Amino acid sequence: MSSLSRHETPVVRPAAWRVRQSWSSLLPKGVASCPPLGTTDGRTSWVASVMTTVVDGRAVAVTGGGDNTVRVWDLSTGERVGAPWAGHTNAVRALAMSVLDGRPVVVSGGDDDTVRVWDLASGSPVGGPFHLQADNVEALAIAERHGRRVVVTGCYDTTVRVWDLETRQEVMAPFRGHTGPVYAVATAVLDGRWVAVTGGDRTVRVWDLDTGDPVGKPFTGHSGHVSAVAVAELTAGHLVVVSGGYQTTTRVSDLATGLPVGDLPGSADLEAVTTTVVDGRLVAITCNSNEPTIQVWDLKTADLVGELFPQHPRTVHAVATAVVDGRQVVVSSCDGGSIRVSDLVVGEPAGKPVRHDAAITAVTTTSVAGRPVAVTAGDDETLRVWDLDTGDQVCRPLPDTTGAVTAVAATQMDGRAVAITGGKDGNVLLWDLALGKAAGSPLTTHLRPITAIAADDTGDPPRAIIAGDDKTIRVWNLRTGEETGNPRKSDHRWVHGLATTRLDDQPVALLGRWGGGFRVRDLTTNRDTGFQTTGSNGKPVRLVAATIADGRPIAITTNDDWRDPPLKVWDVATAQQIGQLSAGTVSALAAITVDGHPIAIAASHTTVSAWSLATFDKISPDLEFPGLVNAVAATPQGHIVVCFDRDIAVLTATRSS
C-alpha cells in the first residue's frame, strides 16, 4: 500500500471522471465540441462507415469496419447495444437505413462482394445476402423504383448496380460510365423522378433509376478522384450536390444542370460529407484527410461557421449527425477504430483565428478579478491572458522584450495577479495582469536563456524561483524586487524542471536532479536543504510538477531514459517513490488537486492524458491534438489547458457522479 493510501487520500475512480473540451483558439468564436461520450472506443479495428438512427426512443450510431462486423452504440451512454452483427467475411465499408415489411432494417456492404440486410431491433439477418459478383462494395444508398425499395451500390469494378431490397434481384443492367472505382453514392428525387448521384474517377454522374440512362452530362472540374458526395436542398426545390475527394477542392454543383454553384474554400482531400440544418441554417459537415478537425460550412454563403475537434487518434473517415438528449451532435469515426460524438454548434463566419503568431512554449494559470485565467507565452515574443471560462483575451497581447519566451509563472501579490516571464536573452520580467502592462524593471539578467520559473504565493512575501541555462538559480521577492540570498549554482549542470510546494509548513522548491528524482531548496534563503531522492541513473529530470493531496505534497518527475518509467510519482515528505504513470516521451507536465482529488496531466507528442495520483489510473481517454503539445497547465476548478503549436485549447475535468 502506498503512503498516500495509508493517509487515506480519497480514491479517484477513472469511470467517475469525464474530460470535455470547453473552447480553443483554433475554433471560431462560439463553437464548442467534446471528446467521446462514454466508452465508444470499442471497435477492434478501423471504422469505415457510420450512420445514426433511433431504436426504442434512443439515438444510436451504427458502424461498420475492418473487423467484418456491424455494431450499434447508444449515443447517450456510449455503450454498445447488443452483440456485434457477424456475417460479412471482409471489411464493412457502407451502411444505409430502410424499411422492409414494415420494420426498420440496416443494409450493409463491403469487401466480401455482398450486401446484407439486418433487422435493426434484433441484429438478426433478414434473408440471404446479395452476391454482387462486382468486386468490393464501396458505397450504397436506398431509393425507390416503380414503387419498390431498391439498393444502389457503387462498386470497385467501376459499375453502379441496382437491386430490389425484397427479392435480392438485380433489376436493371449495371450503369457504366465511370472509369475508376465508384467510391460514393447518394440518391434524390429530381423533377419527380428518383436519381442516383455517384462519384468516382474525376467526375460526378447522375442516373435515372427508372431507365438507367445518364441525366445530363458528367459534372467535371475535379482534379482528383471523387470519394464523397451528398445532396441537399439549398432553397425550395433547388437541389445541390456537395462533392470532393483526393487532391481536389470540395465543390457545390446544381443537381439538375451540373453547373458549379461554388466551392468550399480550403476544403480539399475530402474523406466524407453530410448535410443538416442547424437553427434554420443549411450546413455541410466535412472531414478531410489532411485535417484533424471537422469543418462546418454554411452552404448558402460557403462560409466556415464551425470547426469541431473530436480528437481522434487518426484522420476522421466518416461523419453523420443525430440529436442526443435534445442536442444536435456529429458522430465521427476514424481508421484508428474510435467513434466520437461532438456537439454541433455553429457560430458566425470564421475570420482569422485568435491565436499566437508563433509556437506557444509556456503556460501557467492564475485568477484575475476572481476569474480563472491562463497565461501563455511563446516564440512570437508576446504574453497573452485568456479567460478560462469564455476564451476571451483579458487584455491586449503584451509585448515581451526578453525575446522569445521560454518560461512563465503566475501568482498573486497583494491581491493582484502577476506573471513572471523569462526569455532566451536571460532577462526576467514582471507583469501586472489586471492592468495589462509591465510592473517594474527586469528582475535579473542570467547569462544564458531561462529554463524554468516557478512562483509561490503561500508565504509572505510572494516569491519566484528562476533557473537558467547558465547553471544558476535565483529567488526573488516579488513585492520589493530584491533577490533572496545569493545566486546558487545548480547541483548538476542545468535545471530544466522545478516546482514549488510546502514541506513542513515551509515554502520550498523541488528541483529536478541530474541523476533522477528531485532535491529540495528552501525558498526563504535560496539554500539547498540537502533533502533529496536517492539513487542515480545518469539521466537528468526534465520536468517536475507538484500538488497537495490531503495536506501532503506529491511530486511527479520525468527524465530522458527510455528504460525508466516515463513518469514517477513521489511522496515529497519521505522522498520515496509511491507510484508510476505509463506514458510515452513526455513533452509537458502539470499537476493539480480538483475537489480533493490529485490529478496529473501529461503530453506526449500530440497526445494528452490525465491520471489519478491516488490510484495511478488514467481518468480520461487519450486526447489527440492537431500539433505538437508544448505546454500544459491545470486549475483547481478542473480546467486543463493544452498549448499546441500556436493554439490553446481548454478542457474541463469533472467527476460524472
Side-chain angles (χ1 to χ4, degrees):
M1 182 179 297
S2 73
S3 60
L4 287 181
S5 299
R6 290 197 301 271
H7 284 85
E8 299 182 352
T9 297
V11 173
V12 182
R13 300 187 183 279
W17 286 76
R18 179 169 292 173
V19 177
R20 293 184 179 274
Q21 184 173 325
S22 299
W23 58 268
S24 172
S25 63
L26 181 69
L27 308 180
K29 181 72 172 175
V31 180
S33 66
C34 65
L37 293 179
T39 57
T40 51
D41 291 291
R43 294 293 311 197
T44 58
S45 185
W46 49 271
V47 181
S49 52
V50 61
M51 68 174 191
T52 61
T53 186
V54 177
V55 177
D56 297 330
R58 296 180 299 171
V60 300
V62 184
T63 62
D67 62 358
N68 311 342
T69 68
V70 177
R71 301 181 183 227
V72 182
W73 309 89
D74 187 312
L75 290 178
S76 292
T77 66
E79 301 295 333
R80 195 178 68 204
V81 179
W85 304 352
H88 283 282
T89 59
N90 212 328
V92 179
R93 291 190 178 273
L95 297 167
M97 277 289 302
S98 189
V99 176
L100 182 61
D101 296 331
R103 57 180 170 174
V105 294
V106 174
V107 183
S108 61
D111 287 354
D112 61 357
D113 191 23
T114 69
V115 170
R116 296 173 184 261
V117 183
W118 313 84
D119 183 276
L120 175 61
S122 67
S124 301
V126 179
F130 307 13
H131 292 282
L132 272 65
Q133 299 178 348
D135 212 337
N136 302 346
V137 177
E138 298 291 334
L140 59 81
I142 304 298
E144 287 190 10
R145 182 177 186 270
H146 301 165
R148 296 180 65 85
R149 299 288 176 96
V150 293
V151 181
V152 184
T153 60
C155 302
Y156 192 80
D157 69 352
T158 76
T159 65
V160 178
R161 297 171 183 255
V162 184
W163 304 78
D164 187 291
L165 178 59
E166 183 176 1
T167 67
R168 290 1 185 219
Q169 298 298 310
E170 199 167 4
V171 297
M172 55 204 313
F175 304 166
R176 301 183 185 276
H178 286 288
T179 59
V182 181
Y183 290 115
V185 176
T187 56
V189 177
L190 177 64
D191 298 330
R193 56 182 172 171
W194 278 91
V195 297
V197 183
T198 59
D201 45 60
R202 297 185 179 185
T203 67
V204 173
R205 296 171 185 258
V206 183
W207 311 87
D208 188 311
L209 286 176
D210 279 341
T211 66
D213 295 330
V215 178
K217 296 181 179 180
F219 301 7
T220 58
H222 285 292
S223 57
H225 69 250
V226 177
S227 57
V229 298
V231 178
E233 190 173 32
L234 190 62
T235 56
H238 182 199
L239 298 179
V240 294
V241 177
V242 184
S243 60
Y246 179 65
Q247 292 187 341
T248 185
T249 300
T250 299
R251 312 202 75 178
V252 182
S253 308
D254 187 292
L255 176 59
T257 65
L259 296 176
V261 174
D263 293 337
L264 302 184
S267 180
D269 293 316
L270 188 69
E271 286 282 334
V273 59
T274 190
T275 62
T276 191
V277 175
V278 182
D279 298 328
R281 176 186 291 179
L282 177 65
V283 298
I285 301 165
T286 64
C287 57
N288 305 321
S289 60
N290 58 0
E291 290 287 342
T293 56
I294 297 172
Q295 291 81 38
V296 184
W297 304 85
D298 186 315
L299 272 181
K300 289 186 178 180
T301 64
D303 288 325
L304 181 66
V305 293
E307 197 164 18
L308 310 180
F309 193 27
Q311 298 164 329
H312 284 288
R314 297 184 188 174
T315 300
V316 180
H317 189 76
V319 292
T321 61
V323 176
V324 179
D325 302 328
R327 302 169 12 248
Q328 283 187 279
V329 301
V330 175
V331 183
S332 56
S333 66
C334 79
D335 60 5
S338 67
I339 307 147
R340 305 204 172 191
V341 182
S342 302
D343 289 315
L344 176 54
V345 185
V346 301
E348 294 305 311
K352 182 180 178 182
V354 180
R355 51 163 45 128
H356 278 265
D357 294 327
I360 300 173
T361 55
V363 62
T364 190
T365 61
T366 186
S367 62
V368 174
R371 297 187 63 83
V373 300
V375 183
T376 57
D379 287 343
D380 62 352
E381 303 181 12
T382 68
L383 188 75
R384 301 186 186 223
V385 187
W386 310 80
D387 186 307
L388 284 173
D389 291 327
T390 67
D392 295 328
Q393 293 196 52
V394 174
C395 58
R396 61 179 177 80
L398 306 176
D400 195 309
T401 57
T402 63
V405 180
T406 54
V408 64
T411 188
Q412 298 289 313
M413 181 174 67
D414 300 327
R416 295 181 299 135
V418 295
I420 309 99
T421 60
K424 288 186 177 179
D425 65 358
N427 280 328
V428 177
L429 295 180
L430 189 64
W431 302 87
D432 187 314
L433 299 182
L435 298 178
K437 65 179 184 179
S441 303
L443 293 180
T444 185
T445 300
H446 282 261
L447 300 178
R448 294 180 61 83
I450 303 301
T451 56
I453 299 176
D456 171 69
D457 60 0
T458 63
D460 189 19
R463 300 177 177 89
I465 181 170
I466 300 163
D469 218 11
D470 56 0
K471 306 179 186 178
T472 61
I473 301 167
R474 298 172 184 257
V475 176
W476 290 85
N477 180 324
L478 295 179
R479 183 178 292 124
T480 65
E482 296 176 348
E483 188 169 0
T484 299
N486 297 317
R488 301 287 179 175
K489 289 292 182 180
S490 61
D491 60 329
H492 290 290
R493 308 179 189 178
W494 41 252
V495 171
H496 274 194
L498 57 82
T500 57
T501 187
R502 293 189 72 83
L503 183 61
D504 298 329
D505 204 33
Q506 295 297 316
V508 297
L510 308 181
L511 279 61
R513 293 179 62 227
W514 185 262
F518 61 86
R519 61 190 306 136
V520 178
R521 185 172 291 263
D522 187 334
L523 280 178
T524 63
T525 62
N526 193 19
R527 291 182 179 275
D528 192 342
T529 65
F531 188 62
Q532 64 179 37
T533 57
T534 59
S536 174
N537 58 23
K539 292 291 183 179
V541 167
R542 291 185 300 106
L543 300 170
V544 180
T547 188
I548 300 290
D550 195 28
R552 295 178 65 83
I554 304 172
I556 308 96
T557 63
T558 182
N559 60 33
D560 289 320
D561 193 341
W562 60 269
R563 299 165 299 180
D564 239 13
L567 288 167
K568 293 182 178 181
V569 185
W570 308 84
D571 184 328
V572 175
T574 62
Q576 297 297 309
Q577 184 178 342
I578 57 175
Q580 61 189 47
L581 310 176
S582 177
T585 302
V586 178
S587 56
L589 180 64
I592 199 70
T593 296
V594 180
D595 295 330
H597 299 279
I599 65 174
I601 313 298
S604 179
H605 301 293
T606 60
T607 303
V608 172
S609 302
W611 282 271
S612 160
L613 292 176
T615 66
F616 313 121
D617 294 320
K618 279 188 179 180
I619 62 171
S620 78
D622 291 338
L623 306 173
E624 281 292 321
F625 288 82
L628 184 67
V629 178
N630 297 316
V632 295
T635 71
Q637 295 83 11
H639 302 97
I640 297 174
V641 186
V642 181
C643 298
F644 54 100
D645 191 32
R646 296 174 294 161
D647 292 289
I648 173 177
V650 176
L651 304 99
T652 304
T654 59
R655 290 201 303 159
S656 58
S657 62

